[in-house]
Amino acid sequence: MLRFLLHWLTVTIALAAAAWLLPGVVVESTEALLIAALVLGFINGIVRPILMILTLPITVLTLGLFYLVVNGIAFFLAAWLVPGFAVTSFGWSILGALVVSLVSWFVGLFGRPERRLPVDRPSHQ
Protein backbone atom coordinates (compact mmCIF):
# COMPACT_ATOMS: atom_id res chain seq x y z
CA MET A 1 0.00 0.00 0.00
CA LEU A 2 2.85 2.36 0.82
CA ARG A 3 4.42 1.73 -2.58
CA PHE A 4 1.12 2.61 -4.29
CA LEU A 5 0.81 5.86 -2.31
CA LEU A 6 4.41 6.84 -3.10
CA HIS A 7 3.86 6.17 -6.79
CA TRP A 8 0.63 8.19 -6.73
CA LEU A 9 2.44 11.07 -5.02
CA THR A 10 5.21 10.90 -7.62
CA VAL A 11 2.74 11.02 -10.52
CA THR A 12 0.88 13.87 -8.81
CA ILE A 13 4.08 15.91 -8.52
CA ALA A 14 4.97 15.12 -12.14
CA LEU A 15 1.50 16.09 -13.37
CA ALA A 16 1.65 19.35 -11.41
CA ALA A 17 5.03 20.07 -13.01
CA ALA A 18 3.60 19.40 -16.47
CA ALA A 19 0.68 21.76 -15.81
CA TRP A 20 3.09 24.41 -14.55
CA LEU A 21 5.55 24.07 -17.45
CA LEU A 22 3.20 23.54 -20.40
CA PRO A 23 0.50 26.08 -21.28
CA GLY A 24 -1.52 23.41 -23.10
CA VAL A 25 -1.93 21.25 -19.97
CA VAL A 26 -4.49 22.68 -17.53
CA VAL A 27 -5.33 21.46 -14.02
CA GLU A 28 -8.03 23.54 -12.37
CA SER A 29 -7.82 22.35 -8.75
CA THR A 30 -5.91 20.18 -6.32
CA GLU A 31 -8.78 17.71 -6.32
CA ALA A 32 -8.62 17.44 -10.11
CA LEU A 33 -4.83 16.97 -9.87
CA LEU A 34 -5.15 14.09 -7.39
CA ILE A 35 -7.91 12.38 -9.39
CA ALA A 36 -6.04 12.91 -12.68
CA ALA A 37 -2.90 11.30 -11.21
CA LEU A 38 -4.95 8.33 -10.04
CA VAL A 39 -6.70 7.94 -13.41
CA LEU A 40 -3.40 8.36 -15.29
CA GLY A 41 -1.85 5.62 -13.16
CA PHE A 42 -4.79 3.34 -13.87
CA ILE A 43 -4.62 4.03 -17.61
CA ASN A 44 -0.86 3.46 -17.63
CA GLY A 45 -1.35 0.17 -15.83
CA ILE A 46 -4.31 -1.21 -17.83
CA VAL A 47 -4.86 0.59 -21.15
CA ARG A 48 -1.32 1.49 -22.18
CA PRO A 49 0.00 -2.12 -22.21
CA ILE A 50 -2.88 -3.08 -24.53
CA LEU A 51 -2.07 -0.13 -26.80
CA MET A 52 1.60 -1.09 -26.79
CA ILE A 53 0.82 -4.63 -27.94
CA LEU A 54 -1.57 -3.41 -30.65
CA THR A 55 0.91 -0.83 -31.97
CA LEU A 56 4.05 -2.96 -31.64
CA PRO A 57 4.67 -3.24 -35.41
CA ILE A 58 4.48 0.55 -35.85
CA THR A 59 6.69 1.06 -32.80
CA VAL A 60 9.31 -1.30 -34.24
CA LEU A 61 9.18 0.41 -37.65
CA THR A 62 9.67 3.84 -36.06
CA LEU A 63 12.48 2.54 -33.83
CA GLY A 64 10.44 3.21 -30.70
CA LEU A 65 9.34 6.76 -31.48
CA PHE A 66 5.70 5.71 -31.75
CA TYR A 67 5.90 4.91 -28.04
CA LEU A 68 5.65 8.70 -27.49
CA VAL A 69 2.34 8.68 -29.35
CA VAL A 70 1.06 5.79 -27.20
CA ASN A 71 1.96 7.77 -24.07
CA GLY A 72 0.23 10.82 -25.56
CA ILE A 73 -2.92 8.78 -26.18
CA ALA A 74 -2.94 7.59 -22.56
CA PHE A 75 -2.42 11.18 -21.33
CA PHE A 76 -5.16 12.51 -23.62
CA LEU A 77 -7.55 9.78 -22.44
CA ALA A 78 -6.92 10.72 -18.80
CA ALA A 79 -7.62 14.39 -19.62
CA TRP A 80 -10.82 13.40 -21.41
CA LEU A 81 -12.04 11.35 -18.42
CA VAL A 82 -11.22 13.76 -15.57
CA PRO A 83 -13.18 16.99 -15.20
CA GLY A 84 -10.85 19.85 -14.29
CA PHE A 85 -7.91 18.33 -16.16
CA ALA A 86 -7.63 19.37 -19.80
CA VAL A 87 -5.19 19.20 -22.67
CA THR A 88 -5.72 21.67 -25.51
CA SER A 89 -4.32 19.50 -28.31
CA PHE A 90 -2.79 16.12 -28.98
CA GLY A 91 0.65 17.72 -29.36
CA TRP A 92 0.40 19.10 -25.83
CA SER A 93 -0.70 15.64 -24.74
CA ILE A 94 2.50 14.08 -26.09
CA LEU A 95 4.63 16.80 -24.47
CA GLY A 96 2.68 16.44 -21.21
CA ALA A 97 3.25 12.70 -21.17
CA LEU A 98 6.95 13.27 -21.83
CA VAL A 99 7.24 15.78 -18.98
CA VAL A 100 5.34 13.48 -16.60
CA SER A 101 7.62 10.58 -17.54
CA LEU A 102 10.80 12.57 -17.04
CA VAL A 103 9.72 14.19 -13.77
CA SER A 104 8.44 10.85 -12.41
CA TRP A 105 11.75 9.24 -13.26
CA PHE A 106 13.68 12.07 -11.61
CA VAL A 107 11.53 12.14 -8.44
CA GLY A 108 11.65 8.34 -8.28
CA LEU A 109 15.44 8.42 -8.12
CA PHE A 110 15.28 9.85 -4.60
CA GLY A 111 13.15 7.02 -3.27
CA ARG A 112 15.33 4.16 -4.41
CA PRO A 113 17.95 2.57 -2.21
CA GLU A 114 21.53 2.93 -3.35
CA ARG A 115 22.71 0.05 -5.50
CA ARG A 116 26.03 -1.53 -4.74
CA LEU A 117 28.04 -3.52 -7.17
CA PRO A 118 28.94 -7.04 -6.10
CA VAL A 119 32.45 -7.33 -4.78
CA ASP A 120 34.58 -10.24 -5.85
CA ARG A 121 35.88 -11.92 -2.74
CA PRO A 122 38.77 -14.29 -2.80
CA SER A 123 37.71 -17.87 -2.35
CA HIS A 124 39.13 -19.78 0.61
CA GLN A 125 40.65 -23.05 -0.39
Side-chain angles (χ1 to χ4, degrees):
M1 184 69 168
L2 179 63
R3 187 173 175 180
F4 168 77
L5 291 175
L6 287 174
H7 182 70
W8 185 29
L9 178 64
T10 301
V11 173
T12 303
I13 291 168
L15 192 57
W20 183 70
L21 288 171
L22 303 173
V25 177
V26 179
V27 178
E28 295 177 358
S29 66
T30 305
E31 182 182 90
L33 178 68
L34 292 171
I35 294 171
L38 189 63
V39 169
L40 188 60
F42 177 77
I43 289 171
N44 283 338
I46 304 297
V47 177
R48 196 177 72 178
I50 295 168
L51 285 174
M52 287 175 54
I53 291 170
L54 292 174
T55 61
L56 187 61
I58 299 170
T59 304
V60 170
L61 286 175
T62 60
L63 302 175
L65 289 177
F66 196 75
Y67 187 64
L68 293 171
V69 175
V70 171
N71 283 339
I73 291 169
F75 197 82
F76 200 79
L77 180 60
W80 183 69
L81 290 173
V82 178
F85 172 45
V87 180
T88 57
S89 72
F90 189 67
W92 287 117
S93 178
I94 292 174
L95 286 174
L98 186 62
V99 168
V100 168
S101 296
L102 291 174
V103 173
S104 293
W105 169 76
F106 184 73
V107 170
L109 287 177
F110 295 106
R112 293 187 186 137
E114 182 180 331
R115 285 188 170 186
R116 296 183 180 214
L117 296 174
V119 178
D120 289 337
R121 297 182 182 181
S123 61
H124 299 306
Q125 297 178 12

